[in-house]
Amino acid sequence: MLDRTAALNGGVLSGPRTPYGPPGAVERLAAALPGRLRDALPAEICLGSPWPVRVDVLLDEGTTEADVETWVPAVSAHGDALDLAVRGGRVVGMRGRAGDRVNHGRLDPQERQGWRHVGQDRPGRLTRPLVREHGRLVETTWDAAMERVVARSLELLAGPGGWGRIGFHTGGRLFLEECYTLAVIGWAGIGTPHLDGDTRLSAAAAAAALMESFGTDGPPGSYGDVDHCDALALWGCGQSGGSGQGVQHVLWERVLDRRLGPGPPALIVVGPEGTPAAREADVHLAVRRGTNVALMNGLLHELIANGWYDEAYVANHTAGFEELCLTVDAYPAKRAAEICGVPVSLIEQAAEILGAAERLVSVVAGGFHLAWQATAATCQVGNVHLLRGMLGHPGAGILHAGGPSSARGALETGAAGGLPGLRNWANPRHVRELAALWNVDLPRRGPATHAMRIFRYAEEGSIGLLWISAADPVRSLPGAGRILRRKDLFVVVQDLFLTETARLADVVLPAAGWGEKAGTVTGGDRTVHICDRAVEPPGEARPDLDIFLDYARRMDFRDRDGAPLVGWYDARSAFEAWQACSKGRPCDYTGITYERLRRGGGVQWPCTPSSSHGTERLYAGGRFNTGPDVCQTYGHDLVTGAEHGAEPHQGARPGARQNRAAGHHDRAFLPAADHEPSQEAEAPLDGASLNGGHLNGGSPNGTHLNGAHLDVLNGSADGAVDGAMDGAMDGVMDGVMDGALVVTGWDPVARQPLLAPALVRVVPRAAETGGDYSVASPLDLTASHPA
Amino acid sequence: MRMHLAHYLGLLHRSQHELADALCAVRRAHPDEPDLIGVCERLAEQCGDNARRLEPFVRRYSAQLSEEPERMHSALFSGARRGRLGLLRDLHDLYLLATQCEISWTLIAQAAEGVGDEELVDAVRHCGAATAAHLLWLRTLMRQIAPQTLIVAS
């Protein structure tokens, strides 16, 4: 019980537990009301969350709150509101924001680590632009560096299909304003569909599943649902607290507090043994790798066979029930248990909890998002909620954990494989809306290109300029190192540190980190927070937004009337431009202003100017965004990823006929999927030993090996690992290393590669062709956060 | 009494096998294409299943087999190509092969209803849907890569 009362997280002790119980029935009714009706309620009805406030303060040693000169509003990589403590032009710590709806003052105990570099002009931090001269990166001026990028861009644009020769890859550090600005530069300025980023490796399956089921992206639930729920399911949960497979630390604390208080929710956990979540669970399902869909189908089978579903909700608000029944018919609990390698009684118990819950919250995490049949399995979680009518009311919601901090911003603004404002490329009206907004012609050249294909085009030489901001694909994307070394590929890297990727660049642009620039971040339950500038960036480093604006100005992008295409000049005006783009879309930001965010803390989209609150839960009343004029996609075949057109949307897509026949366009779909055996499951990678670290106990990320040639020991890799690790190392070492990534599968709907760490043999090699630029410690290079 | 239905069943059976082989050949020829990972193998498997499902019907109707007509079958795929344009052209070939399967399923469905063979109607409904998904996938992928392949210099 020790870890329940003193939540150990990576050895760091967090604050005392604050157990609490669910709000009363009256409060629950009040919470279900739309914002403006809630304002009219008598004040004695508690409108806030009953989760006690606990303000965590993380100050550097020797500093007290009295020493702090100013507190600057900011947000953590996981979406927790905080204030940065500033003293003498330096960040000396932080304090959780008590009144914020997401964290109620709490912080991840390791939060301080992520902000170490803010404003620090220390070795390792990039402070001047670099350009490659005779194979070496040398310091230069901003003018010289930007002119190089512009000259190369113009040269490529001048050729046939020049728009298709420039691609962008983004990562976690970009704010929403920066993502939107980049999206406008890409889609409208250059006209390229090649915009994607790290979201493809982490958040793509969640987004794809939400689109398939509900019509558009956007997590339907709210963190506040944890207060109300009587059952909670963590799907694919690994170690809690910030790791890629886990659930955000603060969310996990909220769950634990509910579990310790009166009337605790039942807890189902799907994930490996030995995690805090697994120990805490009432029902823990340690399913075999690659069998999530079989498990979900088994659970759905039990719900349907026992009549534990809301017939009225299914009949009135969903489409595709018959097809779903046909599919899950083949997965009685016994068969599912055999496939998944778990006792049948556990599946039955889990189904009983899901079937009996009055208020069910699901949190889907990396164990589902980053696994075999990721989109299909995630859709089945949506199906559980749709069958039970568990959406859109207090305590009933779906949340998604994981992904880079800016994932939502990138996905919503069109910088990550979609059109801005959750629009549908296949819908001519949506494209016309954007063309009108930007006052440009938008030729329909094709849908957004996914990250793996962008790098593939670069490898083939059809992309000639790849601009990587805030990401380190050499470390995250198999083969990237090999591709970025191509002589004919011009690589621009914009980052805080000289990352492995930056070492291969032709131009390196020093960027400002969080705390050194202003902007907004949208969190896991659609809460928008502002993150202000606390200190100046070191040296000549600039906010990413300023770099993009500078590029747009130098490229002289114009609209149809000859006015500048990018008419904004700072974070606030960029946000206003984004508001106009989001207007009328499911992610409407028009009521969320900088003033409001600074005054009142986080606000959830959609929020229009007339509403006094954001929208806590999507899809209240069972109305979804699946109508052909609203939806972000007309749907995919879950096996192949084949895209349905507008016409099949009305007819051939399973369930779509029902949607039309009933005269409704706003039913949710119940996408059915069969379990597909994966190679992974047949010859499993040994996940436990891979993550444990074989090299002197070092963590995979901390292991640096110099110019090494790697042989894959694990049979499932096919040379991809060679590219992934090529040139990605800084020390010299013999032996076996872990942490190298290999592609083990492909999710055709989310267009997401499934990556697994693999054991690789390291053989030192003489030649190193990467960039030479000396820095003090190679470890500093990868410590970029929030990234 | 002679029926030509068996010839069409035979044609479809052969076409499904050809499509399966072609999918595997294209996958092998373009090992670094992310969108093909796993999907080609999966579709080839489905084609094999479809062909297997046809076999009892081929046998059932072969009793009434008429003489093999001339040029009943013509090859639509003669090996995979390399490179970006090669990939698009290969997918184009697969599309034609899948179209041949699709129209064959349609015609056989009509014939099956005509002779009142409920089992065959059922098989066609199931397998025809898989073939329709194959066509849709090929179309999706071709439309994704066509602009870059045809317009953008490299």
Side-chain angles (χ1 to χ4, degrees):
Chain A
M1 293 301 278
L2 179 70
D3 63 334
R4 289 188 74 196
T5 48
L8 279 165
N9 181 40
V12 183
L13 207 60
S14 77
R17 293 257 61 88
T18 48
Y20 74 116
V26 177
E27 283 80 5
R28 197 159 65 233
L29 274 174
L33 294 173
R36 92 180 67 81
L37 288 179
R38 246 189 291 171
D39 287 345
L41 290 173
E44 56 266 28
I45 296 178
C46 173
L47 297 174
S49 157
W51 192 28
V53 167
R54 185 194 80 204
V55 176
D56 293 339
V57 184
L58 304 171
L59 291 175
D60 293 354
E61 233 168 281
T63 311
T64 65
E65 286 189 66
D67 299 330
V68 176
E69 289 161 7
T70 48
W71 295 93
V72 178
V75 59
S76 82
H78 300 299
D80 305 317
L82 53 91
D83 289 302
L84 291 176
V86 182
R87 182 165 196 253
R90 292 203 177 277
V91 170
V92 293
M94 62 252 334
R95 181 175 69 192
R97 190 126 21 98
D100 193 82
R101 59 173 306 279
V102 172
N103 55 326
H104 291 216
R106 283 162 192 76
L107 290 177
D108 186 327
Q110 296 185 321
E111 188 63 34
R112 182 71 188 103
Q113 297 306 323
W115 300 81
R116 287 270 169 227
H117 64 270
V118 178
Q120 305 287 305
D121 189 1
R122 66 188 166 96
R125 194 61 203 271
L126 288 167
T127 54
R128 293 198 63 193
L130 309 173
V131 291
R132 190 167 294 280
E133 288 288 354
H134 309 296
R136 291 175 61 87
L137 285 171
V138 296
E139 292 191 344
T140 186
T141 63
W142 272 101
D143 271 337
M146 290 306 287
E147 279 311 320
R148 258 190 214 215
V149 180
V150 168
R152 181 67 182 191
S153 303
L154 292 174
E155 184 191 327
L156 290 169
L157 281 171
W163 52 266
R165 309 214 58 199
I166 300 176
F168 296 91
H169 184 97
T170 60
R173 196 188 61 248
L174 299 189
F175 286 145
L176 182 135
E177 292 79 356
E178 293 160 343
C179 290
Y180 181 61
T181 303
L182 185 64
V184 175
I185 288 173
W187 286 106
I190 292 166
T192 180
H194 307 324
L195 292 119
D196 204 355
D198 287 353
T199 47
R200 185 63 57 188
L201 307 174
S202 52
L210 290 167
M211 284 187 251
E212 291 301 315
S213 299
F214 310 127
T216 52
D217 187 12
S222 158
Y223 291 135
D225 287 330
V226 174
D227 301 347
H228 297 275
C229 67
D230 63 0
L232 211 142
L234 303 182
W235 306 102
C237 176
Q239 301 288 335
S240 79
S243 83
Q245 297 272 310
V247 170
Q248 301 92 314
H249 176 85
V250 169
L251 175 58
W252 176 240
E253 284 209 35
R254 196 168 188 158
V255 172
L256 273 184
D257 285 350
R258 266 304 308 277
R259 293 276 298 172
L260 285 167
L267 183 64
I268 301 170
V269 171
V270 181
E273 305 275 357
T275 68
R279 285 192 291 275
E280 179 67 28
D282 296 312
V283 177
H284 173 229
L285 295 152
V287 298
R288 258 189 212 121
R289 287 165 68 106
T291 63
N292 291 336
V293 168
L295 170 71
M296 295 313 298
N297 282 350
L299 293 171
L300 289 166
H301 179 276
E302 291 302 291
L303 292 181
I304 294 169
N306 292 303
W308 295 334
Y309 64 95
D310 185 337
E311 279 181 55
Y313 192 92
V314 169
N316 296 320
H317 302 295
T318 70
F321 183 60
E322 279 176 34
E323 288 88 346
L324 182 67
C325 287
L326 277 179
T327 302
V328 302
D329 204 35
Y331 298 86
K334 191 164 167 291
R335 175 161 183 245
E338 279 164 15
I339 298 173
C340 303
V342 294
V344 65
S345 59
L346 285 185
I347 292 188
E348 286 164 356
Q349 283 171 32
E352 270 173 47
I353 292 173
L354 295 173
E358 286 174 27
R359 292 171 299 282
L360 170 68
V361 168
S362 281
V363 181
V364 191
F368 267 46
H369 293 153
L370 309 177
W372 181 246
Q373 290 190 283
T375 306
T378 308
C379 281
Q380 305 315 311
V381 175
N383 287 348
V384 168
H385 281 256
L386 288 168
L387 288 188
R388 299 257 18 247
M390 289 292 169
L391 278 171
H393 57 89
I398 303 172
L399 294 160
H400 290 276
S405 37
S406 70
R408 291 244 44 86
L411 290 164
E412 289 161 13
T413 57
L419 278 188
L422 308 181
R423 285 179 173 86
N424 183 358
W425 183 257
N427 184 341
R429 253 186 50 181
H430 284 186
V431 179
R432 277 201 303 274
E433 274 174 21
L434 287 175
L437 174 75
W438 296 330
N439 192 24
V440 295
D441 296 316
L442 278 182
R444 300 187 69 212
R445 285 179 182 126
T449 316
H450 60 78
M452 291 287 279
R453 185 154 290 289
I454 291 175
F455 276 83
R456 182 82 188 115
Y457 286 154
E459 183 170 30
E460 288 174 346
S462 80
I463 282 181
L465 189 158
L466 195 55
W467 188 326
I468 298 161
S469 354
D472 193 2
V474 168
R475 288 192 160 272
S476 60
L477 207 63
R482 182 183 73 237
I483 295 165
L484 295 179
R485 274 157 201 244
R486 279 184 63 103
K487 289 265 179 290
D488 55 348
L489 179 66
F490 190 83
V491 180
V492 182
V493 173
Q494 181 174 319
D495 217 321
L496 307 189
F497 304 97
L498 194 73
T499 59
E500 304 300 347
T501 302
R503 283 165 184 269
L504 304 178
D506 295 282
V507 174
V508 180
L509 303 172
W514 291 18
E516 300 165 359
K517 59 177 189 174
T520 57
V521 181
T522 305
D525 70 346
R526 296 166 283 108
T527 302
V528 185
H529 281 116
I530 200 159
C531 191
D532 263 323
R533 174 189 283 222
V535 296
E536 292 296 316
E540 294 177 24
R542 288 183 183 174
D544 298 273
L545 180 67
D546 292 5
I547 299 172
F548 294 144
L549 291 175
D550 186 28
Y551 178 69
R553 189 180 55 74
R554 288 174 193 264
M555 290 293 288
D556 198 29
F557 295 125
R558 301 272 165 178
D559 69 10
R560 273 192 291 234
D561 298 327
L565 171 69
V566 179
W568 48 95
Y569 46 88
D570 64 1
R572 179 193 294 259
S573 52
F575 187 79
E576 284 163 6
W578 161 245
Q579 284 182 307
C581 181
S582 73
K583 191 177 181 201
R585 291 298 300 159
C587 58
D588 197 320
Y589 278 67
T590 51
I592 306 172
T593 61
Y594 268 35
E595 287 71 27
R596 200 161 169 179
L597 293 174
R598 290 209 170 100
R599 196 177 58 233
V603 180
Q604 288 170 289
W605 66 250
C607 179
T608 53
S610 62
S611 59
S612 51
H613 298 268
T615 307
E616 188 156 16
R617 296 166 194 90
L618 302 181
Y619 314 130
R623 285 180 302 278
F624 297 91
N625 296 330
T626 47
D629 286 339
V630 186
C631 68
Q632 200 176 350
T633 169
Y634 295 127
H636 295 82
D637 173 44
L638 291 189
V639 176
T640 60
E643 208 173 340
H644 296 295
E647 200 48 43
H649 183 67
Q650 321 261 316
R653 181 180 180 188
R657 195 173 290 118
Q658 191 183 350
N659 213 354
R660 182 182 54 173
H664 291 293
H665 282 309
D666 54 5
R667 287 160 178 262
F669 285 101
L670 295 164
D674 261 310
H675 163 69
E676 313 261 346
S678 79
Q679 288 178 337
E680 215 182 16
E682 283 155 19
L685 294 164
D686 186 1
S689 70
L690 288 169
N691 289 325
H694 289 268
L695 290 169
N696 310 326
S699 75
N701 285 339
T703 309
H704 292 255
L705 303 156
N706 194 10
H709 176 73
L710 305 168
D711 287 325
V712 181
L713 297 182
N714 192 293
S716 70
D718 57 351
V721 67
D722 199 73
M725 302 311 296
D726 227 16
M729 289 142 276
D730 284 303
V732 181
M733 203 174 290
D734 267 314
V736 176
M737 88 166 274
D738 56 5
L741 294 170
V742 292
V743 178
T744 59
W746 178 248
D747 187 295
V749 186
R751 312 200 192 299
Q752 169 183 293
L754 305 180
L755 306 176
L759 291 174
V760 290
R761 176 178 294 129
V762 180
V763 185
R765 194 175 56 185
E768 167 60 49
T769 54
D772 296 319
Y773 183 75
S774 64
V775 285
S777 159
L779 279 173
D780 287 341
L781 298 177
T782 53
S784 60
H785 171 90
Chain B
M1 268 277 288
R2 297 282 183 215
M3 280 208 300
H4 290 310
L5 175 54
H7 291 306
Y8 246 82
L9 287 167
L11 170 65
L12 178 53
H13 184 262
R14 188 163 162 186
S15 303
Q16 285 284 315
H17 274 304
E18 280 179 345
L19 179 54
D21 293 344
L23 280 161
C24 295
V26 171
R27 173 76 176 98
R28 276 196 305 274
H30 306 277
D32 295 329
E33 284 301 323
D35 290 283
L36 304 186
I37 301 171
V39 183
C40 279
E41 290 88 338
R42 174 80 182 113
L43 298 195
E45 206 178 291
Q46 284 185 342
C47 290
D49 291 345
N50 285 357
R52 258 190 302 286
R53 192 139 176 195
L54 270 176
E55 275 159 17
F57 300 103
V58 175
R59 279 195 297 276
R60 179 177 302 173
Y61 289 96
S62 63
Q64 300 140 336
L65 194 64
S66 60
E67 255 175 63
E68 167 83 19
E70 253 185 279
R71 294 177 59 214
M72 191 58 204
H73 186 270
S74 48
L76 290 172
F77 181 78
S78 48
R81 304 159 180 89
R82 301 267 159 193
R84 173 123 308 270
L85 184 61
L87 174 65
L88 184 61
R89 192 61 189 82
D90 283 347
L91 294 171
H92 190 141
D93 272 351
L94 293 177
Y95 192 84
L96 294 179
L97 257 172
T99 307
Q100 162 139 314
C101 297
E102 199 247 349
I103 189 65
S104 304
W105 286 116
T106 308
L107 302 180
I108 288 168
Q110 265 185 311
E113 283 185 25
V115 298
D117 187 338
E118 286 302 320
E119 272 182 78
L120 183 54
V121 170
D122 206 50
V124 170
R125 190 176 298 135
H126 181 265
C127 301
T131 300
H134 298 178
L135 277 173
L136 203 57
W137 175 72
L138 288 164
R139 208 178 157 78
T140 303
L141 186 51
M142 286 162 80
R143 286 173 58 120
Q144 270 172 14
I145 64 171
Q148 189 80 7
T149 306
L150 300 180
I151 315 175
V152 180
S154 57

